[in-house]
């Protein structure tokens, strides 16, 4: 097993008498130089160490068992508990980093035994950032100016452990020199070469079983595959082990149930999201198809970036989405529909937050781009991605404005409006194929709504009812037919006023403000107000002298923080689409 081979290759070294090489010495000096601490009161320390001391006994027993026996069961138990133990080490460091070393030893006497046993376990030192955290803890115990022989001995003991850690993965020439020379290796090259060969051997075995699935004698037994995947959990961030991780993910056994250790999926997904490893799209897709929680965490990871305090431009959001390989993986309909459902839930939970809506549209655009690059013979039918939508409507919407000549935009918008209206009219509110379902489909391709507003402002003909209906529905899908008709009438009146202003010799922000305000006798719904604001912003962009009054007009167009965010989002979307 890989764990046994690594255990053998990382055998414990004798600390006493080890003469460090220059690299180790420099690393140790850097560790010591980084130590800065401020004494804290004994009462606070006693309270802080109480919980740690109770947990310490549990981990001491675990460490004793791990270090005394070298069996498959011990290795599996070590791998299972490593994430929790690493978190325990972090808690120790947080408690120690500002304390006085002498007081630490008085209040927490078992810390020496705990750290010593930790440094003797190669599995712990090889796991993710555990080695770094242990070094931090040890540095906290060093007295920069020892005042007694006890403090001097403590410093010497800490230095010994640090030197052991920094040289733990080096081979002693006296121990393996003759053996490695016979193999044609230099001692310093033996361990990397051994690990590389072990990984290559296991990868070859996995791929041979995959390619010769009909020959059951060559396939890896499910029990062995489960054991191998469990031991690989702490090794997923090692670059040399990445081929093995990919081979495990892409291995297809004949067992009726999953044969990989569940924690392996979590470890791989976390390392991928935190950019500790890179994986090909095929491996990421398989990971998310086999382990739904990993896909959900990836989408939540994206949402966390969207709701951060810093506002991200759509180009940055596009980079986030592509870095996660979401568009490419979403070419598989099962992945797409899960991501799509999470966007739907996010829109409902945030009352259609502009940031979430914009991210959905960026994701859809990236997905269409990735799908276009796929082999046409391997593509899924477009109906598989939107199973509850009319196939013709989804296909018409999916061809974005940039893919058509501008001369055909108006005709395409009329067709979209007609098909949407057929899908919406006559459907009861809340039904499966009702207005919100149709709006969510349109929301994926919101660029068509933006183009409709531009066409209304740049055209000399009377405002077409089809485009007015499309915009009224986009901004107010929850409105009934009667309220939507009223919104269309109010929007048409504003459009006629804007055309008069466009031909006027003098243009002022006050005239624009008068059009934007509703009269007491003709109040506007929130959806109508949002639609008219979109028309006014497009007027400022497209009217010959619109930009000359833009700064002054913004004072009444964006009176609140929420509306200001909406205006900024509109400008960002326009720039992104252009």
């Amino acid at each position: 097993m890989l764990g046994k081979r690594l255990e053998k290759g990382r055998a414990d070294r004798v600390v006493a008498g080890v003469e460090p090489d220059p690299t180790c010495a420099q690393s140790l000096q850097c560790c010591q130089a980084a130590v800065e601490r401020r004494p804290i009161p004994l009462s606070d320390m006693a309270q802080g160490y109480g919980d740690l001391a109770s947990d310490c006994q549990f981990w001491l027993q675990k460490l004793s068992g791990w270090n005394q026996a070298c069996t498959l069961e011990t290795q599996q138990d070590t791998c299972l508990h490593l994430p929790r133990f690493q978190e325990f080490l972090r808690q120790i460091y947080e408690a120690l980093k500002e304390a006085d070393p002498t007081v630490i030893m008085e209040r927490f006497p078992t810390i020496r035994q705990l750290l010593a046993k930790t440094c003797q376990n190669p599995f712990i030192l090889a796991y993710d950032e555990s080695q770094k955290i242990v070094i931090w803890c040890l540095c906290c115990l060093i007295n920069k100016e020892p005042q007694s022989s006890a403090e001097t001995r403590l410093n010497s003991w800490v230095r010994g452990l640090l030197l052991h850690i920094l040289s733990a993965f080096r081979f002693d020439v006296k121990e393996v020199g003759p053996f490695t020379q016979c193999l044609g290796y230099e001692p310093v090259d033996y361990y990397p070469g051994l690990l590389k060969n072990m990984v290559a051997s296991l990868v070859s075995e996995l791929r041979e079983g995959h390619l010769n699935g009909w020959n059951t004698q060559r396939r890896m037994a499910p029990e062995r595959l489960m054991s191998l995947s469990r031991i690989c959990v702490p090794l997923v961030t090692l670059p040399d082990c990445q081929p093995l991780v990919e081979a495990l993910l892409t291995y297809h056994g004949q067992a009726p149930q999953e044969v990989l250790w569940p924690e392996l999926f979590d470890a791989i997904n976390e390392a991928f999201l935190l950019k500790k490893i890179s994986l090909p799209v095929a491996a990421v897709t398989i990971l998310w198809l086999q382990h739904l929680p990993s896909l959900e965490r990836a989408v939540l990871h994206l949402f966390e970036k969207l709701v951060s305090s810093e506002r991200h431009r759509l180009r940055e959001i596009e980079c986030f989405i592509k870095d996660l390989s979401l568009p490419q993986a979403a070419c598989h309909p099962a992945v797409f529909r899960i991501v799509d459902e999470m966007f739907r839930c996010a829109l409902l939970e945030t009352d259609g937050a502009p940031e979430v809506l914009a991210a959905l549209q960026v994701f859809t655009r990236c997905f269409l781009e990735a799908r276009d690059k796929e082999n046409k013979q391997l593509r899924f039918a477009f109906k598989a991605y939107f199973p509850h939508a009319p196939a013709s409507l989804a296909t018409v919407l999916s061809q974005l404005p940039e893919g058509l000549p501008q001369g055909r935009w108006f005709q395409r918008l009329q067709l979209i409006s007609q098909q949407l209206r057929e899908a919406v009219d006559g459907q009861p509110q809340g039904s499966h194929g009702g207005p919100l379902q149709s709006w969510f489909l349109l929301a994926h391709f919101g660029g068509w709504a933006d183009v409709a507003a531009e066409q209304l402002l740049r055209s000399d003909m009377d405002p077409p009812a089809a485009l007015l209906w499309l915009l009224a529905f986009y901004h107010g899908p929850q409105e009934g037919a009667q309220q939507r008709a009223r919104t269309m009438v109010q929007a048409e009146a504003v459009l006629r006023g804007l055309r008069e202003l466009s031909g006027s010799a003098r243009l002022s922000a006050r005239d624009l403000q008068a059009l934007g305000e509703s009269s007491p006798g003709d109040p506007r719904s929130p959806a109508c107000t949002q639609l008219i604001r979109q028309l006014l912003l497009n007027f400022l962009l497209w009217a010959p002298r619109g930009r000359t009054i833009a700064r002054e007009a913004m004072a009444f167009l964006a009176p609140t923080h929420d509306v200001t965010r909406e205006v900024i989002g509109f400008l960002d979307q326009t720039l992104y689409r252009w």
Side-chain angles (χ1 to χ4, degrees):
M1 298 307 297
L2 179 60
K4 291 184 179 179
R5 296 170 187 169
L6 285 176
E7 179 96 13
K8 184 177 180 181
R10 299 172 178 172
D12 297 340
R13 303 283 163 244
V14 178
V15 176
V18 172
E19 188 68 28
D21 63 18
T23 305
C24 291
Q26 292 173 6
S27 301
L28 180 57
Q29 291 172 4
C30 292
C31 291
Q32 290 179 267
V35 179
E36 293 182 359
R37 60 178 68 86
R38 299 184 300 276
I40 57 178
L42 288 177
S43 59
D44 293 346
M45 289 180 59
Q47 182 179 359
Y49 291 158
D51 295 336
L52 290 177
S54 62
D55 292 339
C56 186
Q57 294 302 320
F58 170 79
W59 290 115
L60 278 174
Q61 292 178 0
K62 280 288 183 186
L63 287 167
S64 298
W66 294 344
N67 292 343
Q68 288 174 4
C70 182
T71 64
L72 176 60
E73 291 74 16
T74 303
Q75 294 171 3
Q76 291 178 342
D77 188 64
T78 305
C79 296
L80 176 64
H81 288 84
L82 276 178
R84 285 177 53 202
F85 183 65
Q86 186 183 83
E87 182 59 31
F88 176 68
L89 289 176
R90 289 184 184 276
Q91 293 174 10
I92 289 180
Y93 170 65
E94 291 298 325
L96 302 186
K97 64 181 179 180
E98 296 181 347
D100 180 83
T102 304
V103 180
I104 289 176
M105 305 312 296
E106 293 176 358
R107 297 284 179 175
F108 202 179
T110 54
I111 189 173
R112 291 182 63 167
Q113 186 181 1
L114 178 78
L115 293 176
K117 288 182 177 294
T118 300
C119 293
Q120 294 170 10
N121 193 304
F123 272 84
I124 296 175
L125 296 182
Y127 177 64
D128 200 26
E129 297 183 343
S130 295
Q131 185 178 127
K132 181 172 65 175
I133 302 170
V134 173
I135 291 176
W136 291 348
C137 292
L138 290 171
C139 287
C140 290
L141 297 176
I142 294 179
N143 271 291
K144 290 192 286 187
E145 297 180 359
Q147 303 296 323
S148 66
S149 59
E151 293 179 353
T152 302
R153 287 195 302 270
L154 176 61
N155 281 0
S156 178
W157 176 80
V158 171
R159 288 193 183 96
L161 287 182
L162 287 170
L163 293 176
H164 170 61
I165 293 174
L166 296 172
S167 61
F169 299 103
R170 300 176 182 272
F171 282 88
D172 190 342
V173 176
K174 294 180 182 180
E175 181 181 344
V176 298
F179 175 67
T180 57
Q181 288 175 4
C182 293
L183 295 177
Y185 284 103
E186 292 295 327
V188 72
D189 297 327
Y190 176 70
Y191 166 69
L194 176 63
L195 178 59
K196 183 177 180 181
N197 289 337
M198 285 192 300
V199 168
S201 175
L202 288 167
V203 169
S204 177
E205 185 179 355
L206 287 167
R207 289 178 177 169
E208 182 181 5
H210 173 59
L211 295 174
N212 297 280
W214 54 272
N215 188 345
T216 56
Q217 292 182 349
R218 292 189 176 184
R219 299 188 69 82
M220 187 176 289
E223 297 79 12
R224 184 163 180 257
L225 192 64
M226 176 70 78
S227 177
L228 175 61
S229 64
R230 187 173 188 176
I231 288 175
C232 282
V233 170
L235 308 176
V236 295
T237 57
L238 293 180
D240 290 337
C241 289
Q242 184 166 333
L244 179 57
V245 171
E246 293 179 23
L248 284 169
L249 280 178
T250 55
Y251 180 84
H252 298 284
Q254 293 180 330
Q257 58 187 8
E258 182 58 62
V259 293
L260 296 183
W261 191 248
E263 281 76 6
L264 179 67
F265 296 117
D266 291 326
I268 296 174
N269 194 60
E270 182 181 4
F272 174 72
L273 296 180
L274 297 179
K275 300 300 178 187
K276 293 183 177 181
I277 60 172
S278 60
L279 292 173
V281 174
V284 175
T285 304
I286 292 173
L287 166 66
W288 290 342
L289 286 173
Q290 289 181 307
H291 195 243
L292 176 59
S294 291
L295 174 57
E296 293 173 339
R297 289 191 191 99
V299 180
L300 291 174
H301 183 72
L302 172 64
F303 289 165
E304 287 173 2
K305 288 185 176 292
L306 294 180
V307 300
S308 63
S309 57
E310 178 185 359
R311 178 180 177 84
H312 298 288
R313 294 184 176 89
L314 295 186
R315 284 295 175 192
E316 294 174 330
I317 295 175
E318 179 183 303
C319 291
F320 294 153
I321 291 174
K322 289 183 175 179
D323 283 347
L324 290 175
S325 299
L326 274 177
Q328 300 93 321
C331 290
H332 193 291
V335 175
F336 177 88
R337 289 170 64 179
I338 291 172
V339 176
D340 198 50
E341 185 62 28
M342 292 186 71
F343 266 111
R344 181 199 299 266
C345 293
L347 282 172
L348 291 174
E349 290 292 333
T350 60
D351 278 338
E355 293 86 352
V356 179
L357 184 59
L360 170 64
Q361 293 169 4
V362 173
F363 164 73
T364 306
R365 182 182 294 265
C366 294
F367 155 71
L368 293 174
E369 179 184 324
R371 186 173 180 272
D372 286 341
K373 293 179 181 178
E374 278 204 324
N375 187 331
K376 290 185 178 180
Q377 296 179 345
L378 301 177
R379 281 187 196 171
F380 290 90
F382 202 71
K383 176 71 174 176
Y385 302 101
F386 300 97
H388 305 300
S392 58
L393 176 58
T395 303
V396 168
L397 283 168
S398 66
Q399 191 170 8
L400 300 180
E402 301 88 271
L404 288 175
Q406 291 192 21
R408 295 177 56 189
W409 285 359
F410 181 76
Q411 181 183 2
R412 177 57 61 92
L413 284 167
Q414 285 189 311
L415 179 60
I416 291 172
S417 179
Q418 175 189 345
Q419 294 192 10
L420 262 177
R421 196 163 189 171
E422 291 174 356
V424 171
D425 286 353
Q427 293 289 339
Q429 290 282 343
S431 63
H432 187 71
L436 286 179
Q437 180 72 26
S438 298
W439 175 85
F440 188 61
L441 176 65
L442 175 62
H444 287 80
F445 313 97
W448 280 116
D450 298 332
V451 169
E454 290 179 11
Q455 292 287 300
L456 287 173
L457 263 300
R458 301 178 71 180
S459 174
D460 294 331
M461 67 177 73
D462 288 337
L467 270 61
L468 286 171
W469 184 93
L470 179 65
L471 286 174
F473 174 70
Y474 182 73
H475 290 284
Q478 75 284 357
E479 293 183 343
Q482 185 176 358
Q483 178 60 51
R484 192 172 296 125
R486 183 176 179 180
T487 297
M488 292 169 61
V489 171
Q490 292 172 326
E492 183 176 7
V494 171
L495 276 171
R496 295 185 186 280
L498 290 174
R499 287 181 181 174
E500 292 178 4
L501 288 180
S502 181
S504 174
R506 297 182 60 185
L507 182 64
S508 69
R510 289 185 176 275
D511 296 330
L512 204 63
Q513 181 177 5
L515 283 175
E517 294 176 345
S518 61
S519 61
D522 190 19
R524 295 169 181 167
S525 67
C528 182
T529 302
Q530 193 177 45
L531 167 56
I532 289 174
R533 187 157 49 239
Q534 183 184 17
L535 295 176
L536 296 178
L537 289 169
N538 272 284
F539 177 81
L540 293 175
L541 286 177
W542 295 109
R545 292 182 298 278
R547 301 179 194 181
T548 61
I549 63 169
R551 183 183 296 275
E552 186 180 355
M554 285 301 166
F556 70 85
L557 276 177
T560 65
H561 176 69
D562 288 341
V563 178
T564 300
R565 287 171 54 209
E566 180 187 323
V567 171
I568 293 173
F570 165 81
L571 297 173
D572 188 20
Q573 282 178 292
T574 304
L575 181 62
Y576 177 72
R577 186 164 47 83
W578 287 355

